[in-house]
Each structure stands twice: as C-alpha cells, then as structure tokens.
Amino acid sequence: MADELYLENIDEFVTDQNRVVTYKWLSYTLGVHVNQAKQMLYDYVERKRKENSGAQLHVTYLVAGNLLQNGYVCHKVAVVREDKLEAMKSKLSTLASVHVYSIQKALLKDSSPLYSTDYDIVKSNLQHCSKFSAIHCAAAVPRTPPDAPRAPAQSQRGPDAASVVNGHGPPAARPPPQQQRGIMGMFAAKAAAKPQDTPKETKAEAKEAPGVSATSSKPSIKNSIMNNFFGKAAMNKLKANSVPEQLKEEKEVAKPSVAVAEPESSPNSVAEKPGKKAESARIQQKDKRSKTKRTDRSDDEEERDPENVKKKRKRIKQLQSDSSDEEDIPPSPTREEERAPSPPLVPALKTELEPASTEGSAAGRKRKRKRVLKSKMFIDEEEGCMVTEKVYESESCTDSEDEFPKPKAPAPNKQPVLPAKREPKEERKNLKKGAAPVNRANKQASIMGFFQKK
Amino acid sequence: MFSEQAAPTAQGLLAPPSAEPPTFPRVPVSGYSDCSQPFQLGERSFSRQYAHIYAVRLAGMRPGLERCARKQWGNDIALRKLSELQAGEKCCVVGTLFKAMQLQPSILQEISEEHNLVPQPPLPKYIQPSDELMLEDELQRIKLEGAIDVQKLVTGTIVAVYGSEQDDGRFLVEDHCFADLPPPLPWNGPSSDRFVLLASGLGLGSVSGEALLSTQLLVDVVTGQLGAEGEQSCAAHITRVILAGNLLSQNTQSRDTINKAKYLTKKTQAASVEAVKMLDEILLQLCTSVPVDVMPGEFDPTNYTLPQQPLHRCMLPLASTYTTLHLVTNPYQANLDGVRFLGTSGQNISDIFKYSSMDDYLEILEWTLRAGHISPTAPDTLGCYPFYKSDPFILTECPHVYFCGNAPHFQSKLLQGKEGQRVLLVTVPDFSATQTACLINLRDLTCQPITFSGFGADSED
C-alpha cells in the first residue's frame, strides 16, 4: 500500500544509508507534516522491534513538561536517549508531550549529529521552512520588492521579452529578477534565458536600453550588498549577469548585422548561450572591476572563459569566416549587444566594443588569452597600503599570434582571422585606469608601473 | 501554562500515522505599536558635552521628586537649592548623586605620565569602603553622610535628601527618597492566553556548539514543529518573540587582526560575518512563523553608546524580506496587545552591578524602576549619546512588563505599586549559558522559564 511505502523509505534511510533520521529530516524528505513524520518514525520502530527484537535501532525521544527548578516551575524541553526516557518522564511533574525525535543505527554519544542533520536539511529548504510545521502564521508574508524604477522597466520589458529575440530580451529580463531573487535568480535566469532565446527577430534594443540603464545602477548597488553575503563564486555570476545590462546601456542602436548574426547563431546550442553570455559578461565585468576586486575572481574566470570562448569561437569563426571584415565594420557598441545576447557572436566582436570602455582591453585579452602568473601591485586606498599579489591573469599577446597555450582545442582557423581583427582592436584599446593591468599586454613593464594606480 | 493544557494529548504522537494532522493558525497580533521613538536617533552629533544630559535629567525629574518629598516628609518642608543652604536648617534638597570611587577606571589617570600607572584590569566590582557620595545640583555640590547607603547607590541617580548642613560643610542626611514608581498605565490586556517569548544572549558565533541544539529546539517549539499536538496548539498562542540582545557571542568581538601584520590578516574575515549569517537563517525560520523583535546588545554589530540603534536590515537579507521581522532599538518600548513592554539588553543593569553593592539583577532592576531612571550610570560609566533636550531614559509611565536581558539567571517578580501599578519584572537569562528563555502570559502577567537540553556524553542532571 502507499501507506507502507514510508516504512520502506525509513528502513532504507536508517539501515542502508546509515543516516540519522530525525523527524524534521523525514518531514522535508518525504514532504509530510511534522506530526505525521513523528508518527511514522514511531510506527517504524514498533514494527521493526516486533518483527526482529534484536534489531539495531537506537531511538531518541523528545520529552517536554513541567519541572521544578531553582524555585520556579519551568517548562523543560529535552531530547533524551531511549534509555533515559523513563527517568526524565518521572522527573517531570506534568508531561506535556513525548514523541520520537530521531532514529539511527548507531548509539549516539551526544546530540550534535541530530543538530547537524536538522541544520543541513533546513539550510537546503530555507525558502519554505515552515511549510510542514504545525503552526501557520498568516502575517508572515515576504515584502514586495520596493524598487520602483525597476517596475516600469520590467513592464516595459515584458512585452519585449515575448517577442524578443536577438538576445536582448533574455538578458534584459534576466538581471532584474536576478537581483531580487539573489543567488536563486542566477540559476533561474539561466533556465529562463534558454526558452527566451529561441524567438528571433531584430528588435529595437533601444527600447530596452533605456529601461536597462535606469535599472542598471540599481542592480549594481544591490549587487554589491548582496555580494557580501554570497560567496565569491556566486558573486561572480551575479555580477556577470548584471553586466549585460550595463553593456546595453553603453551601446547604441540596433544593428542590422545583429539580425544577420542571429539566424546563423541559432544552430548553436541554446544551452551554450546563457553560459557564453555569462562568460563574456564576466570577462567584461572582470575588467571593469579589476581594480576593486582583484583576487581569486580572476582565477575562476580565467579557467572558465578561455575554454568556453575557445569553443564558441571555433563555431563562430566557421560560420562567419567570410564575413570577418564585416565584423570590424559594425559600430563597436553593437558588438556588446550581440555578444551578450548571442554568445556565438563571440568575444571577437565583443572586444571591439566601446573604445571608451575597458572592453577594449578585455577584448584584446579575450582574443588571445594566455594565463600568466603575474605580480600585480596596487595601492589599496582604504587600508592605506601597497599590496602585491600574484595572480593568474589573462594577458593578450598580440605579438605572438601562433601562441595559443591553452590545451583546449582552440580553432586553428581562428588565427588567421585574428591578426586582422587585432589591429583595429588595438587601436581602440584604451588605457583605461581600471584595466591597467590588462593594458600592459606585451609592453615592457616600466619602472613607473610601480607608482601607477591600478 | 503550556504543560497543563498540553498534558491530555502528550502521548498522542506515539502512534501510527493518522490521516490529517491538524495545523494551528498563529494567534494574530491584535495591537502592536512601537513606542521607542525617543530611543531612535536620527542625525547624531557628538560635539556636545555631557553636562547637558545631567542638567536635563535633573530638570526633568525635579518636579516628581519634590512631589515625593512632600508626600513623605510633609507639605511644609523647605525645599532648598544647595546655594541657599543655611547651616543647621532642616531642609530637603533635590540633586544628582555622584559617587567618588577610587577604583573607578579613569582614562586620564591611565594616560597620565606622572602616575606611571599600568592600565587597571577589569574588575567585577569597583566598590570600596572608602567611596564617598556627593550631591550635585545645577550650581554646587556637597558631600553627604548619614542615613544613606553609600555602597548601594550609583552616580547619576536623582535623589531628594532630607537633613541639614553641618558646620564642616557636609550634609547630614536623615532620610532620602527616590522618584518611586511612575504613574500607572491603564490595563488593556487580552482576555485569553497570549504568550510572548523573551530570549537573550543567543551567542551565535561562539566557539562551543553546546547551545546550538538548544537554540534549534527553541526555534522548533516556537514554530510548532516540536512537541505533541497539545503543545503545538499552545505554541500557536505565542504571539511574539523578543530577542533581547547579544545575538552574537563575545568571541566574535576579537580584535586580533588589529595587532597582526596586514599581510597576515588581509584575507581573514571577521568572525561576526559567519555569525550574522547563522543569525539570518535562524531569524528566517522564526519570521516565517511568528513576529520577531530583534534588539541589539553589547556584542552586536551596531553602535556602542546607548540607546543602541537597530541592526541594519542589509545584514539579514533572508529574514528582512518578511514583514514579521522588526529590528528595534535597545532600550525597547512597545505596546503588545495592550500591554506595555519596556526593556533593555542588560548593559544598564550590569553596569550598575559593577558600581554598586547590589548583587541580584532582579533587585537592581527593581531599584532602577523605583529610582525612575532606566540607566542612571550613563554617561558616567556607560556610553551614552549626549542628549541635551531631554533625557529619554527617565521613566514617565510605568510599564506592565519591565525586563533586562543577559542576566546570569532567570528571575521574575510581580510588583504592586501604591498607585495601582502592576509591573512584572523579568531578568531574562543568557541563553548560551543557561539554555533558558522566558514565556510571559499577557493575560495574567505571569512568567515561566522554558529550558532546552540535549544529551551529552556525560549524561545529565
């Protein structure tokens, strides 16, 4: 019977998996009310003991009741082992409740495994931690997100998202929900981006751009606050996802070439796109923030980006090898958009971006990235000291085209195209203050580098 | 409270699963209003001297004290200022007490080179038999002796003394009185059982994890996961949880990083970061089920001076999305279902403990109520904001529940005043040490401690 299924489940958890099965853990795992979980545990214990009195089962109980202590009648709630159950019950003047707390195979020395089991299961179910409890509070409702500017932007983007396409839709819609949902948003957004990628049409990205620019400052602010609470890895992703917004705000108008690129990129797996977008976004992000966030972020990104970029690049080059010259032509701003929304468009395009932005340097980096262990020195204003860090940094080596130190299969056919691209790119590469370390590509480090603000 | 109602169904869950386990709705809050506006500081400027706060304190409490003096010693007593005193004349003077203590830590002495003093280590009590009491008013001060307990009283208390000035310039005290209990508030308490859970000193982030299971059990009882049906239905009557300070443990306050070299500590994180994350998760579990008021304490990340401002909600991203989370000041005053609560996280009481011979936290708590001031030792030995317009720590109305957090043990007492005041005094124990919280029944102003325990390797009591 379906009812008996839980017995088998508990049996499996306790004997096979050798877990400590607390009522709370069982309640979340089986999705039942806590009281039912307690009763299930009791039932299991009874039956198991009846069939096999030598069964190796240790049970802990929860006992609660009145106890006279220090002159006050206090309400005592205690978790006790089975052998101490009767002793505790007799100490209490009035018994308020007793039920099974947990079942496990081994005898527990102390209650810390109980605590850690409960802690883990609650932590993984934080969003609905009162779902199976016996008390329901009507007043406990989450606040609605207060950002007003985001609301109009979102509604504006709503209809866009439906008809969207060239990637502006998905990334545009993605960041605001992400900001609000924090870390969960990142995963949801990637999933959401997939279905949204499919419709393709040339869109007036301009429509979305203002909406995005209005909110982009908010996401970045929220980002920095949220960043403090999520790990660096998550922070990277969050930031990366917010970059497409920022990029958009910098760029200008829709490009026809985007539409051209779109159909070509459609054969690319959709799954790659969100990842690619994030990657390329991340790289941009890295440049932008390299001043403020120096450390392991660069390591993470370096490892991921080159691989993906290489993979994507390979595909794109094949598709667009004959239009390589065109790629230089479209205004650089458009590159960003194309890139962000359609990862296949690649880093090559992306890099051309804004002369004004650090993208140039990012671009250069992306084109030919090589991981080099470098010492980065900068002055940390807030702490008033000079810090030297050795980090793996991707450095563009424009003078050595044939060097692709990465072992991944970088498309060899990319290389002939790259030199051509690199020239215009290099011209546009600006020595932006924030991207100073990257701009050092192939320049001999001068002594003045020691005093530059990086 | 809980136990009697829950007893009938105590063993109900020792049975095979039943069809539909009941879910109890949390008793809604019928009337809540936050009255801590005087403790909320907006723009803060520390460019004033602290003399102003004593001046407004004396000015604010003088009328009440003169009334008490007349009641106690007759309507025709002479009320004099210190500058109007005449030798030998019996009169009453209202002023601020100042206790000159030799052992009181003084920063000026510590840094003075001529004394060559080593900084004094913190002592549990700084009182000494050689301490002296002085009475100050707006213009002068005079030494007190006589029927006044020098050891018990602390600096900053406003007192009315009755006696006469001696030839040697001291004032011989025959009797003294304080402001006594403030005027009572009307009683609008609920007619059915409503509970408020008071806990303090959760001490998250401490090295030892003994209290963690107890904290989890506390959260489970309040959110209705623990216990048989009877107990859960009683727990549904808990309308509010007040966490009175010291949510973080003292261990999170370590300042080792200041002494170490920068390159060693560059990437270390403050211990309070982890602790605040843990706090956020615990508060999230509580907030999804019950309104929670969080007061900051001595070791929490907020300002040091009293009144402590609420914790910032950016530190609690998960929990602050719920409207049931209220971040409030320390001291905290609010009307819950018609019952007026007033309490602190315990810094005021523990400071008085250090400078007075009184040992019992409940006794000190009662004494502050009778003296009409929440924290008389501020700003002398306890950090305080330099108020100059009015002193918000003066008690103007008598609360129904007066509590202090982080006490060494649980104690409670129902005080009856002469004018019909009924106050429940509660010293909330430090949870990380005692695993005890307090349940207050708003209907009849009774309080019951609730203790949690797990089992350890060394079996138990």
Side-chain angles (χ1 to χ4, degrees):
Chain A
M1 269 206 55
D3 288 344
E4 307 300 315
L5 207 54
Y6 69 84
L7 288 172
E8 289 165 18
N9 284 338
I10 300 179
D11 197 38
E12 184 193 329
F13 296 138
V14 177
T15 24
D16 303 337
Q17 296 178 11
N18 207 7
R19 276 181 193 274
V20 172
V21 180
T22 59
Y23 75 92
K24 205 194 282 187
W25 187 91
L26 191 71
S27 151
Y28 279 113
T29 315
L30 297 184
V32 295
H33 192 276
V34 284
N35 288 354
Q36 273 185 325
K38 296 168 196 165
Q39 288 168 327
M40 285 179 187
L41 287 177
Y42 177 77
D43 200 25
Y44 173 78
V45 171
E46 289 297 300
R47 288 186 197 219
K48 195 82 188 215
R49 292 219 167 124
K50 238 186 290 187
E51 3 172 296
N52 176 9
S53 55
Q56 219 209 1
L57 261 193
H58 289 102
V59 191
T60 59
Y61 289 88
L62 180 102
V63 187
N66 273 353
L67 179 71
L68 190 66
Q69 200 175 47
N70 293 338
Y72 291 99
V73 175
C74 90
H75 185 82
K76 187 156 176 84
V77 177
V79 178
V80 292
R81 279 195 293 250
E82 199 169 7
D83 42 358
K84 303 276 185 312
L85 177 61
E86 292 307 316
M88 178 59 85
K89 270 160 73 167
S90 57
K91 259 200 271 184
L92 299 174
S93 56
T94 322
L95 189 65
S97 50
V98 58
H99 63 77
V100 177
Y101 192 86
S102 78
I103 302 183
Q104 55 279 336
K105 230 159 105 170
L107 180 66
L108 293 179
K109 284 274 182 312
D110 63 56
S111 31
S112 38
L114 299 178
Y115 173 71
S116 33
T117 315
D118 279 346
Y119 178 78
D120 292 335
I121 195 72
V122 167
K123 187 130 185 199
S124 44
N125 286 296
L126 270 181
Q127 292 310 314
H128 42 88
C129 45
S130 277
K131 200 158 134 187
F132 302 113
S133 120
I135 298 181
H136 178 72
C137 179
V141 286
R143 281 185 232 260
T144 50
D147 311 86
R150 196 161 293 162
Q154 260 180 337
S155 54
Q156 189 183 344
R157 217 169 286 117
D160 295 348
S163 57
V164 125
V165 167
N166 46 21
H168 292 290
R174 254 194 322 169
Q178 273 174 352
Q179 307 306 337
Q180 289 155 17
R181 299 197 310 258
I183 196 171
M184 298 308 294
M186 186 200 64
F187 302 108
K190 286 206 171 183
K194 291 186 211 171
Q196 284 173 8
D197 258 342
T198 46
K200 296 195 188 269
E201 281 160 62
T202 316
K203 272 243 63 183
E205 301 89 55
K207 209 190 328 178
E208 294 164 358
V212 180
S213 47
T215 61
S216 59
S217 55
K218 271 246 158 74
S220 18
I221 294 166
K222 241 186 141 174
N223 245 344
S224 53
I225 294 173
M226 300 290 238
N227 286 342
N228 297 336
F229 302 98
F230 303 125
K232 279 218 163 85
M235 174 185 78
N236 294 342
K237 292 183 188 160
L238 274 180
K239 275 210 241 179
N241 289 324
S242 73
V243 168
E245 277 184 303
Q246 290 160 354
L247 298 175
K248 274 180 210 175
E249 94 187 295
E250 289 159 8
K251 73 175 181 127
E252 286 108 36
V253 182
K255 311 80 202 179
S257 61
V258 174
V260 172
E262 284 298 338
E264 288 180 353
S265 60
S266 54
N268 298 328
S269 70
V270 177
E272 298 273 4
K273 284 193 190 171
K276 187 57 172 25
K277 270 183 256 201
E279 308 289 17
S280 40
R282 232 176 276 124
I283 293 170
Q284 299 276 331
Q285 188 68 10
K286 176 177 186 281
D287 287 332
K288 280 200 167 115
R289 312 254 175 121
S290 59
K291 186 177 181 190
T292 52
K293 308 274 180 180
R294 307 167 200 106
T295 56
D296 42 5
R297 203 167 44 96
S298 57
D299 291 339
D300 296 344
E301 290 172 9
E302 287 317 300
E303 278 144 21
R304 269 179 306 204
D305 293 341
E307 308 171 40
N308 291 352
V309 165
K310 293 300 174 274
K311 281 193 215 138
K312 305 281 158 87
R313 207 179 296 173
K314 177 177 182 177
R315 251 198 323 273
I316 292 155
K317 286 302 170 247
Q318 285 166 345
L319 292 168
Q320 300 170 344
S321 51
D322 56 341
S323 60
S324 58
D325 290 333
E326 289 171 24
E327 286 161 357
D328 292 343
I329 296 166
S332 41
T334 66
R335 294 288 166 87
E336 282 181 19
E337 292 177 312
E338 299 178 25
R339 171 183 50 85
S342 41
L345 282 189
V346 190
L349 300 180
K350 165 188 69 144
T351 58
E352 322 260 318
L353 288 206
E354 321 301 341
S357 70
T358 55
E359 265 87 64
S361 41
R365 252 205 342 225
K366 243 211 171 143
R367 306 216 82 150
K368 252 183 175 151
R369 260 181 327 180
K370 178 166 83 170
R371 279 189 37 211
V372 173
L373 181 63
K374 285 218 174 245
S375 280
K376 281 168 51 167
M377 291 166 289
F378 42 80
I379 297 178
D380 186 348
E381 288 302 324
E382 40 182 77
E383 293 172 17
C385 61
M386 225 179 300
V387 181
T388 306
E389 277 188 339
K390 281 193 173 348
V391 291
Y392 272 105
E393 190 179 74
S394 78
E395 199 185 28
S396 75
C397 32
T398 49
D399 48 347
S400 49
E401 303 176 6
D402 40 78
E403 266 177 69
F404 258 120
K406 288 175 200 114
K408 293 86 175 189
N413 56 0
K414 254 182 282 189
Q415 311 199 7
V417 185
L418 287 170
K421 285 201 194 316
R422 213 172 310 117
E423 266 67 81
K425 219 193 351 210
E426 279 175 308
E427 286 157 21
R428 281 176 246 200
K429 242 199 282 194
N430 276 349
L431 276 175
K432 216 46 193 207
K433 17 93 194 140
V438 180
N439 290 339
R440 281 196 328 247
N442 300 327
K443 260 196 334 188
Q444 198 170 31
S446 78
I447 197 169
M448 291 312 293
F450 189 74
F451 296 105
Q452 261 174 20
K453 226 184 185 177
K454 286 179 197 157
Chain B
M1 281 171 228
F2 263 25
S3 312
E4 289 78 19
Q5 285 165 331
T9 51
Q11 319 231 19
L13 291 178
L14 290 176
S18 56
E20 274 307 315
T23 308
F24 307 99
R26 170 84 56 195
V27 173
V29 171
S30 63
Y32 169 74
S33 67
D34 187 4
C35 309
S36 353
Q37 283 75 26
F39 303 121
Q40 281 162 1
L41 301 172
E43 279 289 312
R44 279 165 259 179
S45 153
F46 285 84
S47 57
R48 283 183 205 279
Q49 297 230 352
Y50 283 99
H52 304 287
I53 191 176
Y54 285 116
V56 293
R57 192 184 290 179
L58 183 58
M61 292 183 70
R62 187 185 277 278
L65 269 163
E66 288 179 350
R67 236 190 342 264
C68 274
R70 293 214 164 84
K71 239 191 302 188
Q72 187 153 348
W73 301 312
N75 270 331
D76 52 351
I77 51 160
L79 281 165
R80 297 258 183 267
K81 296 244 167 88
L82 282 178
S83 49
E84 301 160 359
L85 278 184
Q86 288 156 26
E89 182 198 3
K90 282 212 195 300
C91 58
C92 165
V93 188
V94 174
T96 317
L97 278 179
F98 176 75
K99 187 152 102 170
M101 290 181 280
Q102 198 182 10
L103 289 179
Q104 181 177 353
S106 161
I107 187 69
L108 295 176
Q109 276 189 333
E110 275 177 37
I111 61 177
S112 159
E113 284 168 9
E114 63 186 50
H115 286 259
N116 273 351
L117 280 181
V118 184
Q120 195 186 31
L123 296 171
K125 275 197 187 289
Y126 293 98
I127 54 176
Q128 265 209 322
S130 61
D131 296 337
E132 288 178 337
L133 264 185
M134 285 183 243
L135 189 74
E136 291 186 6
D137 70 1
E138 292 91 346
L139 298 172
Q140 291 184 351
R141 57 155 49 178
I142 194 166
K143 209 173 265 192
L144 295 178
E145 56 189 12
I148 195 160
D149 188 349
V150 181
Q151 300 299 307
K152 183 176 168 191
L153 298 173
V154 290
T155 305
T157 321
I158 311 288
V159 70
V161 291
Y162 183 69
S164 54
E165 188 185 356
Q166 302 300 292
D167 296 330
D168 59 357
R170 296 179 196 225
F171 192 92
L172 184 65
V173 178
E174 288 171 28
D175 197 7
H176 66 282
C177 83
F178 300 103
D180 212 4
L181 293 177
L185 278 173
W187 172 257
N188 282 327
S191 47
S192 59
D193 274 346
R194 296 261 173 109
F195 297 100
V196 171
L197 184 88
L198 272 177
S200 83
L202 290 182
L204 298 172
S206 70
V207 179
S208 75
E210 298 139 13
L212 286 176
L213 178 68
S214 304
T215 313
Q216 191 59 53
L217 290 177
L218 171 73
V219 172
D220 287 344
V221 167
V222 174
T223 54
Q225 307 204 8
L226 217 53
E229 284 175 19
E231 182 151 4
Q232 286 167 340
S233 76
C234 288
H237 289 281
I238 296 180
T239 55
R240 205 161 197 95
V241 173
I242 301 180
L243 296 176
N246 282 357
L247 309 152
L248 266 48
S249 143
Q250 193 173 11
N251 295 339
T252 60
Q253 299 284 299
S254 104
R255 310 266 304 231
D256 288 344
T257 49
I258 291 183
N259 301 331
K260 288 200 188 144
K262 246 333 153 211
Y263 71 95
L264 285 174
T265 58
K266 182 154 180 34
K267 293 195 189 166
T268 53
Q269 209 181 42
S272 48
V273 175
E274 269 307 311
V276 170
K277 282 193 208 166
M278 217 184 316
L279 174 69
D280 195 22
E281 285 162 16
I282 290 182
L283 283 179
L284 176 68
Q285 293 173 55
L286 279 176
C287 285
T288 51
S289 179
V290 68
V292 184
D293 293 338
V294 182
M295 288 167 64
E298 191 181 346
F299 306 126
D300 293 328
T302 183
N303 59 315
Y304 162 73
T305 52
L306 283 191
Q308 283 184 300
Q309 298 303 292
L311 296 171
H312 200 284
R313 64 181 181 87
C314 73
M315 290 194 283
L316 309 167
L318 299 171
S320 57
T321 52
Y322 283 87
T323 54
T324 43
L325 178 75
H326 298 104
L327 298 164
V328 296
T329 56
N330 166 33
Y332 175 52
Q333 184 168 257
N335 274 333
L336 301 176
D337 290 336
V339 179
R340 172 69 72 95
F341 274 69
L342 172 64
T344 64
S345 300
Q347 291 114 313
N348 54 333
I349 307 296
S350 56
D351 199 60
I352 296 175
F353 175 86
K354 278 192 259 181
Y355 296 97
S356 157
S357 60
M358 292 188 276
D359 278 328
D360 189 19
Y361 270 55
L362 192 68
E363 185 191 346
I364 299 175
L365 193 65
E366 185 181 342
W367 181 82
T368 58
L369 193 60
R370 290 202 188 275
H373 199 276
I374 298 175
S375 166
T377 52
D380 185 39
T381 44
L382 187 61
C384 175
Y385 177 75
F387 291 105
Y388 63 101
K389 286 216 180 102
S390 66
D391 185 351
F393 300 119
I394 299 174
L395 287 165
T396 48
E397 298 161 318
C398 192
H400 298 119
V401 179
Y402 186 45
F403 64 91
C404 86
N406 298 300
H409 342 271
F410 166 79
Q411 283 168 302
S412 87
K413 178 173 163 182
L414 189 62
L415 197 64
Q416 305 276 4
K418 279 182 247 150
E419 293 167 24
Q421 299 103 332
R422 255 173 90 222
V423 194
L424 175 68
L425 300 170
V426 185
T427 57
V428 188
D430 185 15
F431 193 84
S432 56
T434 59
Q435 283 93 51
T436 308
C438 311
L439 268 177
I440 298 178
N441 189 343
L442 297 181
R443 180 176 56 86
D444 53 4
L445 281 188
T446 53
C447 183
Q448 186 180 38
I450 178 166
T451 322
F452 302 89
S453 68
F455 52 90
D458 51 356
S459 238
E460 76 238 8
D461 37 280

